[in-house]
Each structure stands twice: as structure tokens, then as C-alpha cells.
């Protein structure tokens, strides 16, 4: 089923199906436990038949006890060996899990904080403390003075009133032509 398609089963139906699946799994688990108990009882009956100590002589009982102690020792040795193998395997599994996590890079990374660093500090860290470079960005900026713009506005206003008569006629046109020619050169 693709991710874009919605399920056609309602939520209540899904819940009912889940509960039925859980009930069925519980029944199967109980049945499996009963089967294991029966298998265990069958195995014990087969491997360790009931002992009739009433009809045995003391020497036979003593030999039987020695036999049982020898079997118990063998089983303990096997159990110890198996436990050692299990511990070794669990250690190996943990080591391999750690290696897998290292390869994936799944370690929790700390939250990084924003740090304000000036341009001078960045240059110092890049070039080292031997080089003293000062990067004053504000000094390199062009400054605009308010006084200049105000003077230009007033000059323009006064110019057109004064120059109306001077620019009229052919002489004024010649001055404008010469001014344009001089500016383009």
C-alpha cells in the first residue's frame, strides 16, 4: 500500500482486528507453554525413570548415588561452558552494536548555540594571533551627508528662476549644447 492511499478500514474495525489478533496470539502462547510442559515431562520420564529404592541393597544405592553425582558433575560442566559461551556472545553482540552505531553516526548530538563573532575575531581565528588585521566594515561604507542633498535641492530651485532668462534664445541653447558635449567627453 502506498503512502498516499488511505486505509479503507475504519478505526473501530482496526481496533477490533487488533484485539482479535492479540487474543489469538495469547491462546497460541498458552498452547505452546502447555506443549513445552508436556515435552519436559516426557523427556524426564524417558531420561530419569522413577527409582525403586525399596528393593535395592545399600551397596547398589551407594553405586546409584555415585552414578548420579557423576552425571550431575557432567551437567554442571556443560552448563558452565554454555554460560561462558553465552556471556562471550553477549559481549560480542554489544561490541558489534556499538560499532554499528558508530558507523551510522546515531550518537545524540548536542544542541548548538548561536554565537555572535565579529569579523575581527573570525580573521584572528583564521590567520592566527600573529597577524593583526582589522576589518572595519563601517569605515569602507560610503557615507551620505544630509547637508549635501539639501544644498543640491536649494540650488536647483534657485537655478531655474535665475537661469530662465539666460537660457532663452539661441545663446541659451548653445550653452546647453556645450554643457552636454563637455559632460560626454
Amino acid at each position: 500500500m502506498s503512502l498516499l492511499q488511505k486505509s479503507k478500514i475504519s478505526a473501530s474495525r482496526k481496533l477490533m482486528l487488533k484485539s482479535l489478533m492479540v487474543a489469538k496470539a495469547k491462546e497460541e502462547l498458552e498452547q505452546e507453554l502447555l506443549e513445552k510442559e508436556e515435552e519436559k515431562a516426557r523427556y524426564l520420564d524417558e531420561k530419569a525413570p522413577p527409582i525403586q529404592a525399596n528393593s535395592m541393597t545399600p551397596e547398589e544405592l551407594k553405586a546409584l548415588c555415585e552414578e548420579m553425582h557423576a552425571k550431575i558433575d557432567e551437567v554442571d560442566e556443560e552448563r558452565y561452558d554454555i554460560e561462558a559461551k553465552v556471556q562471550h556472545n553477549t559481549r560480542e553482540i554489544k561490541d558489534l552494536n556499538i560499532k554499528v552505531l558508530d558507523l551510522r553516526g546515531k550518537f545524540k548530538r548536542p544542541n548548538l548555540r548561536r554565537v555572535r563573532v565579529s569579523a575581527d575575531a573570525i580573521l584572528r581565528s583564521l590567520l592566527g594571533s600573529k597577524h593583526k588585521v582589522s576589518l572595519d566594515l563601517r569605515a569602507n561604507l560610503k557615507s551620505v551627508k544630509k547637508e549635501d542633498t539639501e544644498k543640491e535641492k536649494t540650488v536647483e530651485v534657485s537655478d531655474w528662476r535665475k537661469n530662465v532668462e539666460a537660457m532663452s534664445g539661441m545663446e541659451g541653447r548653445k550653452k546647453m549644447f556645450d554643457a552636454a558635449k563637455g559632460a560626454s567627453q
Side-chain angles (χ1 to χ4, degrees), residues 3-17:
L3 295 174
L4 297 175
Q5 293 177 345
K6 282 196 168 185
S7 176
K8 295 181 181 179
I9 301 173
S10 67
S12 60
R13 177 100 170 121
K14 278 185 189 178
L15 187 62
M16 185 189 72
L17 288 173

Side-chain angles (χ1 to χ4, degrees), residues 6-184:
K6 282 196 168 185
S7 176
K8 295 181 181 179
I9 301 173
S10 67
S12 60
R13 177 100 170 121
K14 278 185 189 178
L15 187 62
M16 185 189 72
L17 288 173
K18 281 183 184 179
S19 63
L20 287 174
M21 286 173 44
V22 168
K24 181 70 174 168
K26 186 177 177 184
E27 287 176 12
E28 288 180 3
L29 186 63
E30 289 173 355
Q31 184 66 30
E32 189 177 320
L33 289 174
L34 285 173
E35 287 175 5
K36 282 186 179 180
E37 286 293 324
E38 290 173 1
E39 186 179 336
K40 183 178 177 182
R42 227 183 2 258
Y43 180 81
L44 286 176
D45 287 341
E46 181 183 307
K47 294 291 181 180
I51 301 171
Q52 272 111 30
N54 297 337
S55 63
M56 297 179 113
T57 63
E59 293 168 358
E60 290 175 335
L61 283 173
K62 190 175 181 183
L64 182 65
C65 285
E66 288 174 358
E67 217 177 286
M68 288 185 149
H69 282 292
K71 285 184 181 180
I72 289 172
D73 289 341
E74 283 180 29
V75 170
D76 280 344
E77 287 175 8
E78 286 180 21
R79 183 179 51 83
Y80 178 78
D81 291 343
I82 290 172
E83 283 180 0
K85 285 180 185 178
V86 167
Q87 287 177 352
H88 175 72
N89 288 340
T90 53
R91 260 188 261 119
E92 195 171 321
I93 288 170
K94 284 181 183 177
D95 291 343
L96 290 174
N97 281 337
I98 290 171
K99 286 181 182 178
V100 166
L101 289 176
D102 285 345
L103 291 175
R104 278 192 204 161
K106 289 285 186 182
F107 290 117
K108 185 176 181 183
R109 293 181 179 95
N111 293 332
L112 299 177
R113 290 175 284 168
R114 288 187 178 221
V115 179
R116 290 189 179 188
V117 180
S118 67
D120 292 331
I122 293 172
L123 281 174
R124 254 187 272 123
S125 67
L126 290 174
L127 300 175
S129 59
K130 294 178 184 176
H131 303 285
K132 292 197 174 183
V133 178
S134 144
L135 183 64
D136 190 9
L137 296 175
R138 290 188 178 130
N140 295 335
L141 293 175
K142 292 183 180 179
S143 61
V144 178
K145 296 179 182 175
K146 291 183 180 179
E147 297 170 2
D148 293 342
T149 57
E150 290 175 7
K151 284 181 183 177
E152 288 176 11
K153 287 180 184 177
T154 56
V155 169
E156 289 175 10
V157 171
S158 63
D159 274 348
W160 78 262
R161 289 182 185 162
K162 291 179 182 176
N163 292 333
V164 169
E165 293 175 11
M167 292 295 185
S168 65
M170 286 302 280
E171 288 183 24
R173 290 180 192 242
K174 185 179 178 195
K175 286 181 188 175
M176 285 173 54
F177 179 74
D178 290 341
K181 194 175 184 183
S184 64

